[in-house]
Short mmCIF file of all heavy atoms in Angstrom, two decimals:
data_model
loop_
_atom_site.label_atom_id
_atom_site.label_comp_id
_atom_site.label_asym_id
_atom_site.label_seq_id
_atom_site.Cartn_x
_atom_site.Cartn_y
_atom_site.Cartn_z
N THR K 176 -20.29 -1.25 17.39
CA THR K 176 -19.29 -1.53 16.36
C THR K 176 -19.55 -0.90 15.20
O THR K 176 -18.68 -0.40 14.52
CB THR K 176 -19.41 -3.20 16.23
OG1 THR K 176 -19.13 -3.85 17.43
CG2 THR K 176 -18.28 -3.58 15.36
N ALA K 177 -20.84 -0.80 14.68
CA ALA K 177 -21.07 -0.19 13.41
C ALA K 177 -20.84 1.37 13.58
O ALA K 177 -20.40 2.08 12.70
CB ALA K 177 -22.44 -0.27 13.02
N ALA K 178 -21.23 1.84 14.82
CA ALA K 178 -21.12 3.41 15.05
C ALA K 178 -19.60 3.65 15.06
O ALA K 178 -19.25 4.78 14.43
CB ALA K 178 -21.74 3.61 16.33
N LEU K 179 -18.74 2.83 15.61
CA LEU K 179 -17.34 3.09 15.58
C LEU K 179 -16.84 3.18 14.22
O LEU K 179 -15.96 4.10 13.85
CB LEU K 179 -16.59 2.18 16.34
CG LEU K 179 -15.08 2.19 16.41
CD1 LEU K 179 -14.75 3.51 17.15
CD2 LEU K 179 -14.47 1.02 17.19
N MET K 180 -17.27 2.33 13.21
CA MET K 180 -16.74 2.30 11.84
C MET K 180 -17.32 3.60 11.16
O MET K 180 -16.53 4.17 10.51
CB MET K 180 -17.32 1.11 11.13
CG MET K 180 -17.09 1.16 9.65
SD MET K 180 -15.39 1.33 9.18
CE MET K 180 -14.55 -0.12 9.84
N VAL K 181 -18.63 4.02 11.43
CA VAL K 181 -19.11 5.22 10.84
C VAL K 181 -18.18 6.41 11.33
O VAL K 181 -17.99 7.34 10.40
CB VAL K 181 -20.54 5.48 11.19
CG1 VAL K 181 -21.05 6.68 10.79
CG2 VAL K 181 -21.47 4.42 10.54
N MET K 182 -17.82 6.44 12.46
CA MET K 182 -17.07 7.55 12.96
C MET K 182 -15.65 7.63 12.24
O MET K 182 -15.13 8.64 11.85
CB MET K 182 -16.83 7.47 14.51
CG MET K 182 -18.10 7.69 15.31
SD MET K 182 -17.88 7.26 17.05
CE MET K 182 -16.72 8.50 17.57
N MET K 183 -15.01 6.39 11.99
CA MET K 183 -13.74 6.41 11.41
C MET K 183 -13.89 6.83 9.99
O MET K 183 -13.01 7.49 9.36
CB MET K 183 -13.14 5.05 11.58
CG MET K 183 -12.80 4.72 12.96
SD MET K 183 -11.86 3.16 13.15
CE MET K 183 -13.05 1.89 12.82
N VAL K 184 -14.95 6.37 9.35
CA VAL K 184 -15.17 6.70 7.83
C VAL K 184 -15.43 8.24 7.72
O VAL K 184 -14.73 8.87 6.88
CB VAL K 184 -16.38 6.00 7.30
CG1 VAL K 184 -16.72 6.58 5.96
CG2 VAL K 184 -16.00 4.45 7.09
N ASN K 185 -16.04 8.77 8.69
CA ASN K 185 -16.29 10.22 8.62
C ASN K 185 -14.93 11.06 8.85
O ASN K 185 -14.59 12.05 8.26
CB ASN K 185 -17.36 10.69 9.64
CG ASN K 185 -18.73 10.47 9.04
OD1 ASN K 185 -19.18 11.22 8.29
ND2 ASN K 185 -19.45 9.58 9.43
N CYS K 186 -14.17 10.47 9.71
CA CYS K 186 -12.78 11.02 9.92
C CYS K 186 -11.94 10.82 8.66
O CYS K 186 -11.30 11.92 8.28
CB CYS K 186 -12.05 10.34 11.01
SG CYS K 186 -12.65 10.66 12.65
N GLY K 187 -12.07 9.81 7.98
CA GLY K 187 -11.36 9.74 6.71
C GLY K 187 -11.79 10.65 5.57
O GLY K 187 -11.00 11.25 4.89
N LEU K 188 -13.10 10.85 5.61
CA LEU K 188 -13.66 11.81 4.61
C LEU K 188 -13.30 13.16 4.90
O LEU K 188 -13.05 13.96 3.99
CB LEU K 188 -15.20 11.63 4.61
CG LEU K 188 -15.87 10.41 4.00
CD1 LEU K 188 -17.32 10.32 4.23
CD2 LEU K 188 -15.54 10.29 2.53
N GLY K 189 -13.20 13.42 6.22
CA GLY K 189 -12.73 14.75 6.63
C GLY K 189 -11.39 15.04 6.34
O GLY K 189 -11.00 16.11 5.77
N VAL K 190 -10.49 14.07 6.41
CA VAL K 190 -9.00 14.42 6.25
C VAL K 190 -8.70 14.43 4.78
O VAL K 190 -7.76 15.12 4.47
CB VAL K 190 -8.25 13.26 6.99
CG1 VAL K 190 -8.12 12.04 6.30
CG2 VAL K 190 -6.81 13.80 7.35
N VAL K 191 -9.38 13.74 3.96
CA VAL K 191 -9.04 13.72 2.54
C VAL K 191 -9.85 14.64 1.74
O VAL K 191 -9.43 15.16 0.64
CB VAL K 191 -9.21 12.29 1.87
CG1 VAL K 191 -8.32 11.22 2.53
CG2 VAL K 191 -10.70 11.99 1.75
N GLY K 192 -10.92 15.05 2.30
CA GLY K 192 -11.82 16.09 1.63
C GLY K 192 -12.94 15.41 0.94
O GLY K 192 -12.75 14.83 -0.08
N ARG K 193 -14.25 15.55 1.31
CA ARG K 193 -15.37 15.03 0.85
C ARG K 193 -15.50 15.50 -0.64
O ARG K 193 -16.06 14.70 -1.53
CB ARG K 193 -16.62 15.33 1.56
CG ARG K 193 -16.60 14.88 3.11
CD ARG K 193 -17.78 15.44 3.80
NE ARG K 193 -17.80 14.92 5.17
CZ ARG K 193 -18.23 13.78 5.64
NH1 ARG K 193 -19.06 13.00 4.75
NH2 ARG K 193 -18.27 13.48 6.91
N ASP K 194 -15.20 16.76 -0.91
CA ASP K 194 -15.40 17.16 -2.29
C ASP K 194 -14.32 16.91 -3.22
O ASP K 194 -14.38 17.23 -4.51
CB ASP K 194 -15.54 18.76 -2.31
CG ASP K 194 -16.70 19.24 -1.38
OD1 ASP K 194 -17.69 18.44 -1.27
OD2 ASP K 194 -16.63 20.36 -0.80
N THR K 195 -13.24 16.07 -2.80
CA THR K 195 -12.15 15.82 -3.87
C THR K 195 -12.15 14.44 -4.18
O THR K 195 -11.28 13.96 -5.06
CB THR K 195 -10.76 16.02 -3.03
OG1 THR K 195 -10.66 15.04 -1.94
CG2 THR K 195 -10.80 17.43 -2.41
N LEU K 196 -13.25 13.54 -3.79
CA LEU K 196 -13.21 12.15 -4.11
C LEU K 196 -13.20 11.82 -5.52
O LEU K 196 -12.57 10.96 -6.04
CB LEU K 196 -14.34 11.46 -3.32
CG LEU K 196 -14.32 11.59 -1.80
CD1 LEU K 196 -15.43 10.76 -1.20
CD2 LEU K 196 -12.97 11.14 -1.26
N ARG K 197 -14.00 12.50 -6.28
CA ARG K 197 -14.05 12.19 -7.71
C ARG K 197 -12.93 12.46 -8.45
O ARG K 197 -12.62 11.72 -9.57
CB ARG K 197 -15.24 13.15 -8.34
CG ARG K 197 -16.62 12.61 -7.82
CD ARG K 197 -17.69 13.46 -8.67
NE ARG K 197 -19.09 12.95 -8.38
CZ ARG K 197 -20.15 13.48 -8.98
NH1 ARG K 197 -20.13 14.34 -9.90
NH2 ARG K 197 -21.32 12.96 -8.52
N GLY K 198 -12.05 13.35 -8.02
CA GLY K 198 -10.82 13.69 -8.72
C GLY K 198 -9.64 12.83 -8.33
O GLY K 198 -8.50 13.11 -8.92
N ARG K 199 -9.80 11.99 -7.41
CA ARG K 199 -8.66 11.30 -6.89
C ARG K 199 -8.35 10.00 -7.70
O ARG K 199 -9.30 9.42 -8.38
CB ARG K 199 -8.88 10.81 -5.40
CG ARG K 199 -8.88 12.04 -4.50
CD ARG K 199 -8.93 11.72 -3.04
NE ARG K 199 -8.71 12.86 -2.11
CZ ARG K 199 -7.51 13.34 -1.83
NH1 ARG K 199 -6.47 12.61 -2.16
NH2 ARG K 199 -7.48 14.41 -0.99
N PRO K 200 -7.08 9.55 -7.73
CA PRO K 200 -6.77 8.34 -8.55
C PRO K 200 -7.27 7.14 -7.97
O PRO K 200 -7.74 7.17 -6.86
CB PRO K 200 -5.19 8.44 -8.57
CG PRO K 200 -4.98 9.11 -7.29
CD PRO K 200 -5.92 10.19 -7.10
N ILE K 201 -7.36 6.06 -8.78
CA ILE K 201 -7.85 4.84 -8.23
C ILE K 201 -6.89 4.26 -7.26
O ILE K 201 -5.63 4.30 -7.35
CB ILE K 201 -7.87 3.70 -9.36
CG1 ILE K 201 -8.92 4.16 -10.35
CG2 ILE K 201 -8.13 2.41 -8.78
CD1 ILE K 201 -8.95 3.21 -11.68
N PRO K 202 -7.41 3.95 -5.96
CA PRO K 202 -6.57 3.44 -4.98
C PRO K 202 -6.11 1.99 -5.11
O PRO K 202 -6.87 1.15 -4.67
CB PRO K 202 -7.38 3.70 -3.62
CG PRO K 202 -8.71 3.56 -4.14
CD PRO K 202 -8.74 4.10 -5.58
N TRP K 203 -4.98 1.78 -5.82
CA TRP K 203 -4.71 0.38 -6.14
C TRP K 203 -4.46 -0.52 -4.95
O TRP K 203 -4.81 -1.67 -5.01
CB TRP K 203 -3.41 0.40 -7.10
CG TRP K 203 -3.82 1.11 -8.40
CD1 TRP K 203 -3.35 2.30 -8.84
CD2 TRP K 203 -4.73 0.67 -9.46
NE1 TRP K 203 -3.85 2.52 -10.16
CE2 TRP K 203 -4.67 1.47 -10.60
CE3 TRP K 203 -5.41 -0.51 -9.61
CZ2 TRP K 203 -5.40 1.43 -11.66
CZ3 TRP K 203 -6.22 -0.69 -10.78
CH2 TRP K 203 -6.12 0.27 -11.93
N ALA K 204 -3.86 -0.05 -3.93
CA ALA K 204 -3.50 -0.83 -2.81
C ALA K 204 -4.88 -1.21 -2.17
O ALA K 204 -5.02 -2.41 -1.82
CB ALA K 204 -2.71 -0.20 -1.73
N ALA K 205 -5.78 -0.40 -2.00
CA ALA K 205 -7.08 -0.64 -1.44
C ALA K 205 -7.92 -1.63 -2.37
O ALA K 205 -8.45 -2.62 -1.95
CB ALA K 205 -8.00 0.64 -1.31
N ALA K 206 -7.77 -1.47 -3.63
CA ALA K 206 -8.41 -2.35 -4.51
C ALA K 206 -7.86 -3.81 -4.42
O ALA K 206 -8.53 -4.77 -4.57
CB ALA K 206 -8.26 -1.89 -6.06
N ALA K 207 -6.47 -3.88 -4.33
CA ALA K 207 -5.87 -5.11 -4.23
C ALA K 207 -6.38 -5.98 -2.95
O ALA K 207 -6.59 -7.02 -2.92
CB ALA K 207 -4.37 -5.05 -4.17
N LEU K 208 -6.31 -5.01 -1.78
CA LEU K 208 -6.76 -5.80 -0.48
C LEU K 208 -8.25 -6.28 -0.70
O LEU K 208 -8.57 -7.34 -0.25
CB LEU K 208 -6.76 -4.76 0.58
CG LEU K 208 -5.25 -4.45 1.13
CD1 LEU K 208 -5.24 -3.37 2.15
CD2 LEU K 208 -4.69 -5.68 1.76
N THR K 209 -9.11 -5.41 -1.32
CA THR K 209 -10.52 -5.75 -1.46
C THR K 209 -10.67 -6.93 -2.34
O THR K 209 -11.48 -8.01 -2.04
CB THR K 209 -11.29 -4.59 -1.92
OG1 THR K 209 -11.11 -3.35 -1.13
CG2 THR K 209 -12.79 -4.94 -2.07
N ALA K 210 -9.84 -7.02 -3.36
CA ALA K 210 -10.02 -8.13 -4.36
C ALA K 210 -9.55 -9.37 -3.66
O ALA K 210 -10.15 -10.50 -3.95
CB ALA K 210 -9.06 -7.85 -5.55
N ILE K 211 -8.58 -9.35 -2.92
CA ILE K 211 -8.10 -10.60 -2.19
C ILE K 211 -9.23 -11.08 -1.26
O ILE K 211 -9.46 -12.23 -1.02
CB ILE K 211 -6.78 -10.41 -1.37
CG1 ILE K 211 -5.70 -10.07 -2.44
CG2 ILE K 211 -6.40 -11.67 -0.57
CD1 ILE K 211 -4.36 -9.65 -1.65
N ALA K 212 -9.80 -10.11 -0.49
CA ALA K 212 -10.97 -10.44 0.36
C ALA K 212 -12.15 -10.94 -0.39
O ALA K 212 -12.70 -12.07 0.01
CB ALA K 212 -11.44 -9.16 1.26
N VAL K 213 -12.46 -10.43 -1.46
CA VAL K 213 -13.50 -11.06 -2.24
C VAL K 213 -13.21 -12.42 -2.78
O VAL K 213 -13.87 -13.28 -2.68
CB VAL K 213 -13.88 -10.19 -3.43
CG1 VAL K 213 -14.81 -10.77 -4.42
CG2 VAL K 213 -14.45 -8.80 -2.99
N GLY K 214 -11.91 -12.56 -3.08
CA GLY K 214 -11.40 -13.96 -3.57
C GLY K 214 -11.56 -14.83 -2.39
O GLY K 214 -11.91 -16.12 -2.69
N GLY K 215 -11.35 -14.55 -1.24
CA GLY K 215 -11.47 -15.38 -0.10
C GLY K 215 -12.91 -15.85 0.05
O GLY K 215 -13.06 -17.10 0.41
N VAL K 216 -13.82 -14.88 -0.08
CA VAL K 216 -15.28 -15.29 0.09
C VAL K 216 -15.62 -16.25 -1.03
O VAL K 216 -16.38 -17.31 -0.70
CB VAL K 216 -16.16 -14.04 0.02
CG1 VAL K 216 -17.61 -14.32 -0.05
CG2 VAL K 216 -15.85 -13.22 1.22
N LEU K 217 -15.20 -15.99 -2.24
CA LEU K 217 -15.56 -16.93 -3.42
C LEU K 217 -14.97 -18.29 -3.12
O LEU K 217 -15.54 -19.22 -3.40
CB LEU K 217 -14.98 -16.26 -4.64
CG LEU K 217 -15.67 -14.95 -5.16
CD1 LEU K 217 -14.93 -14.46 -6.44
CD2 LEU K 217 -17.18 -15.20 -5.34
N LEU K 218 -13.68 -18.33 -2.64
CA LEU K 218 -13.04 -19.63 -2.34
C LEU K 218 -13.92 -20.27 -1.30
O LEU K 218 -14.15 -21.63 -1.39
CB LEU K 218 -11.71 -19.34 -1.71
CG LEU K 218 -10.80 -20.58 -1.42
CD1 LEU K 218 -10.49 -21.31 -2.72
CD2 LEU K 218 -9.49 -20.19 -0.77
N GLN K 219 -14.37 -19.67 -0.29
CA GLN K 219 -15.31 -20.36 0.73
C GLN K 219 -16.55 -20.84 0.06
O GLN K 219 -16.96 -22.06 0.36
CB GLN K 219 -15.73 -19.36 1.81
CG GLN K 219 -14.54 -18.94 2.76
CD GLN K 219 -14.97 -18.02 3.75
OE1 GLN K 219 -14.66 -16.78 3.71
NE2 GLN K 219 -15.73 -18.41 4.86
N LEU K 220 -17.01 -20.22 -0.99
CA LEU K 220 -18.20 -20.67 -1.63
C LEU K 220 -18.02 -22.02 -2.47
O LEU K 220 -18.96 -22.78 -2.61
CB LEU K 220 -18.79 -19.60 -2.49
CG LEU K 220 -19.40 -18.31 -1.87
CD1 LEU K 220 -19.84 -17.19 -2.88
CD2 LEU K 220 -20.51 -18.72 -0.85
N VAL K 221 -16.89 -22.06 -2.96
CA VAL K 221 -16.47 -23.10 -3.98
C VAL K 221 -15.76 -24.35 -3.25
O VAL K 221 -15.71 -25.43 -3.76
CB VAL K 221 -15.79 -22.72 -5.09
CG1 VAL K 221 -16.62 -21.63 -5.98
CG2 VAL K 221 -14.40 -22.15 -4.84
N TRP K 222 -15.22 -23.97 -2.13
CA TRP K 222 -14.46 -25.04 -1.39
C TRP K 222 -14.95 -25.13 -0.03
O TRP K 222 -14.67 -24.21 0.86
CB TRP K 222 -12.95 -24.71 -1.42
CG TRP K 222 -11.99 -25.78 -0.80
CD1 TRP K 222 -12.35 -27.04 -0.51
CD2 TRP K 222 -10.79 -25.50 -0.22
NE1 TRP K 222 -11.22 -27.55 0.12
CE2 TRP K 222 -10.25 -26.62 0.31
CE3 TRP K 222 -9.95 -24.28 -0.14
CZ2 TRP K 222 -9.08 -26.75 1.03
CZ3 TRP K 222 -8.77 -24.42 0.55
CH2 TRP K 222 -8.35 -25.67 1.04
N SER K 223 -15.48 -26.20 0.39
CA SER K 223 -16.19 -26.44 1.70
C SER K 223 -15.02 -26.45 2.84
O SER K 223 -15.25 -26.18 4.03
CB SER K 223 -17.00 -27.57 1.86
OG SER K 223 -16.17 -28.83 1.59
N GLY K 224 -13.82 -26.79 2.45
CA GLY K 224 -12.68 -26.91 3.37
C GLY K 224 -11.88 -25.71 3.55
O GLY K 224 -10.87 -25.73 4.25
N ALA K 225 -12.29 -24.61 3.00
CA ALA K 225 -11.38 -23.45 3.01
C ALA K 225 -11.23 -22.88 4.39
O ALA K 225 -10.18 -22.59 4.78
CB ALA K 225 -11.99 -22.31 2.09
N MET K 226 -12.22 -22.73 5.09
CA MET K 226 -12.22 -22.20 6.50
C MET K 226 -11.36 -23.16 7.41
O MET K 226 -10.61 -22.67 8.12
CB MET K 226 -13.54 -22.06 7.12
CG MET K 226 -13.62 -21.47 8.47
SD MET K 226 -13.09 -19.75 8.47
CE MET K 226 -14.55 -18.92 7.85
#
Side-chain angles (χ1 to χ4, degrees):
T176 302
L179 181 60
M180 174 54 67
V181 171
M182 291 170 66
M183 292 189 293
V184 168
N185 275 286
C186 286
L188 290 171
V190 78
V191 304
R193 296 173 185 270
D194 299 331
T195 69
L196 299 183
R197 289 189 177 181
R199 290 186 175 274
I201 295 174
W203 293 109
L208 287 174
T209 305
I211 296 172
V213 171
V216 173
L217 294 177
L218 182 63
Q219 288 177 256
L220 293 176
V221 300
W222 179 29
S223 61
M226 183 66 77

